């Protein structure tokens, strides 16, 4: 171990801490998905893992220390992995179409309504999960179900 | 030929206005009416602007909804990303504490990981050791 001081900002390589997590902490796989698949599945993660997510956030509100909510955090991650695996088993084609569209459209939902609707339909039929945006005014069509939106792709 | 002879051959005739009188002198402005009236143009422009502003309003509502959708998609991902970050932060903290313990083992009464603040609130570390 070289313990001489290097200022972090002048380092030529990013900081890498090789020490693994203490073995007393149960092992959990990380999700490992990039931003587009996560954004594509965000509302389903919100619907499917609602209880775990809320539990974790309430725990974080108690105490911000990382050690305090490791157990709840593992549950959150396991639930998200479970959901993404289920999505891939049941709606792989629609899922990939949607997140590839997000990749090509600056990760905006607006220009990707067509693949999104196919994905939402498949998710509802196979897994019973519905995309709901909390706080939409009653009687108002949620933005992802508007047929002729004013804003769309600039290029047709 | 004397003067009296001419007067005799052409009978005298008084010059008079044409039968039915002269036609009226046209002194009024004569500008033919062309295109829609000013009122119609003004009304049309007003209507067009009103429709445009209506569309702008609709678009603003839609933009707001799109923004809300984006924010909620991020809110749903916060616990997942925070949990992953917390595990990593915890791992690094434990490693730093072990390192500190090893370095300071010969100093008597050294408390590993003791905060410099007299406050139990958690603070993330301000610096990292680049190995």
């Amino acid at each position: 171990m070289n313990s001489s001081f290097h200022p972090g900002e002048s380092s030529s390589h990013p900081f890498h801490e090789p020490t693994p997590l203490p073995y007393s902490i149960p092992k959990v796989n990380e999700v490992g998905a990039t931003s587009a698949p996560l954004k594509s599945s965000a509302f389903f993660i919100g619907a499917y893992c609602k209880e775990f997510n809320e539990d974790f956030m309430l725990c974080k509100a108690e105490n911000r220390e990382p050690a305090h909510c490791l157990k709840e955090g593992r549950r959150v991650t396991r639930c998200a992995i479970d959901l993404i695996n289920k999505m891939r088993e049941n709606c792989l084609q629609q899922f990939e179409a949607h997140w590839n569209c997000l990749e090509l459209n600056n990760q905006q939902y607006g220009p990707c309504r067509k693949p999104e609707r196919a994905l939402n339909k498949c998710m509802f039929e196979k897994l019973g999960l519905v995309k709901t945006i909390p706080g939409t005014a009653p009687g108002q069509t949620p933005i992802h179900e508007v047929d002729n939106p004013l804003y769309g792709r600039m290029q047709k | 030929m004397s003067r009296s002879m001419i007067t005799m051959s052409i009978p005298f005739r008084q010059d008079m206005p044409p039968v039915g009188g002269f036609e009226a002198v046209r002194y009024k402005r004569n500008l033919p009416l062309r295109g829609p009236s000013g009122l119609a143009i003004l009304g049309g422009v007003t209507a067009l602007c009103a429709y445009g502003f209506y569309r702008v309003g609709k678009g603003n509502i839609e933009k707001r909804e799109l923004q809300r959708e984006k924010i909620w998609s991020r809110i749903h991902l916060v616990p997942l990303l925070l949990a992953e970050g917390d595990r990593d932060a915890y791992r690094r903290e434990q490693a730093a504490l072990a390192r500190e313990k090893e370095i300071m083992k010969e100093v008597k009464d050294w408390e590993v990981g003791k905060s410099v603040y007299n406050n139990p609130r958690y603070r993330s570390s301000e610096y990292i050791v680049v190995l």
Side-chain angles (χ1 to χ4, degrees):
Chain A
M1 187 188 287
N2 177 11
S3 56
S4 64
F5 177 73
H6 300 284
E9 66 271 20
S10 69
S11 172
S12 58
H13 56 92
F15 174 58
H16 173 69
E17 173 64 67
T19 319
L21 205 63
Y23 293 108
S24 57
I25 307 292
K27 183 106 179 79
V28 62
N29 288 326
E30 298 299 355
V31 176
T34 51
S35 56
L38 283 181
K39 186 154 187 180
S40 169
S41 58
F43 282 92
F44 302 120
I45 288 177
Y48 186 75
C49 305
K50 190 163 185 281
E51 282 148 36
F52 298 115
N53 286 353
E54 283 177 357
D55 200 31
F56 178 73
M57 293 317 282
L58 285 172
C59 172
K60 289 300 283 186
E62 269 174 21
N63 192 340
R64 295 291 293 179
E65 209 172 329
H68 189 248
C69 301
L70 286 175
K71 193 168 113 188
E72 287 80 0
R74 283 195 296 275
R75 286 179 184 155
V76 166
T77 305
R78 284 202 194 98
C79 176
I81 291 176
D82 184 30
L83 175 82
I84 289 178
N85 284 342
K86 275 189 180 173
M87 268 179 100
R88 287 177 57 81
E89 276 164 27
N90 291 296
C91 304
L92 179 64
Q93 198 191 340
Q94 290 91 332
F95 182 38
E96 293 210 326
H98 185 222
W99 72 254
N100 280 318
C101 177
L102 288 177
E103 289 273 30
L104 293 175
N105 286 288
N106 208 11
Q107 311 236 348
Q108 292 170 320
Y109 283 121
C112 294
R113 293 296 180 206
K114 212 184 256 181
E116 188 192 322
R117 279 181 194 147
L119 177 66
N120 288 355
K121 190 162 170 280
C122 175
M123 288 301 280
F124 178 67
E125 282 168 0
K126 299 271 177 66
L127 300 172
L129 294 174
V130 185
K131 170 177 175 174
T132 43
I133 306 172
T136 308
Q140 189 191 1
T141 319
I143 189 67
H144 59 284
E145 285 165 15
V146 174
D147 284 326
N148 288 315
L150 295 175
Y151 285 97
R153 270 183 69 102
M154 284 289 174
Q155 257 176 332
K156 293 289 173 194
Chain B
M1 214 185 329
S2 71
R3 210 176 148 168
S4 59
M5 275 185 72
I6 299 166
T7 14
M8 289 310 288
S9 59
I10 304 169
F12 173 78
R13 188 169 163 263
Q14 174 68 43
D15 195 13
M16 292 295 283
V19 182
F22 289 107
E23 57 180 280
V25 177
R26 298 201 308 202
Y27 60 91
K28 277 190 180 167
R29 264 151 64 91
N30 179 23
L31 297 175
L33 204 64
R34 288 182 307 177
S37 70
L39 208 65
I41 292 173
L42 205 65
V45 169
T46 309
L48 199 67
C49 285
Y51 178 66
F53 276 110
Y54 169 76
R55 294 263 296 185
V56 168
K58 282 270 184 197
N60 285 345
I61 291 172
E62 201 179 295
K63 245 191 210 172
R64 214 149 54 219
E65 286 297 304
L66 284 170
Q67 184 70 8
R68 234 164 48 72
E69 185 189 29
K70 184 172 86 181
I71 288 169
W72 271 103
S73 78
R74 291 177 183 182
I75 289 174
H76 286 317
L77 290 177
V78 163
L80 173 63
L81 300 176
L82 196 57
E84 186 173 335
D86 268 4
R87 273 193 293 279
D88 195 47
Y90 179 72
R91 182 177 69 85
R92 285 164 188 262
E93 268 174 21
Q94 292 308 105
L97 287 180
R99 208 179 298 126
E100 186 182 338
K101 198 175 172 186
E102 175 64 25
I103 292 167
M104 301 306 284
K105 65 188 170 198
E106 279 155 20
V107 180
K108 220 184 132 209
D109 294 339
W110 181 265
E111 286 179 55
V112 174
K114 192 188 178 192
S115 172
V116 295
Y117 302 104
N118 186 23
N119 187 340
R121 188 170 70 87
Y122 170 75
R123 286 174 178 78
S124 52
S125 59
E126 294 89 359
Y127 55 87
I128 54 170
V129 177
V130 179
L131 296 172

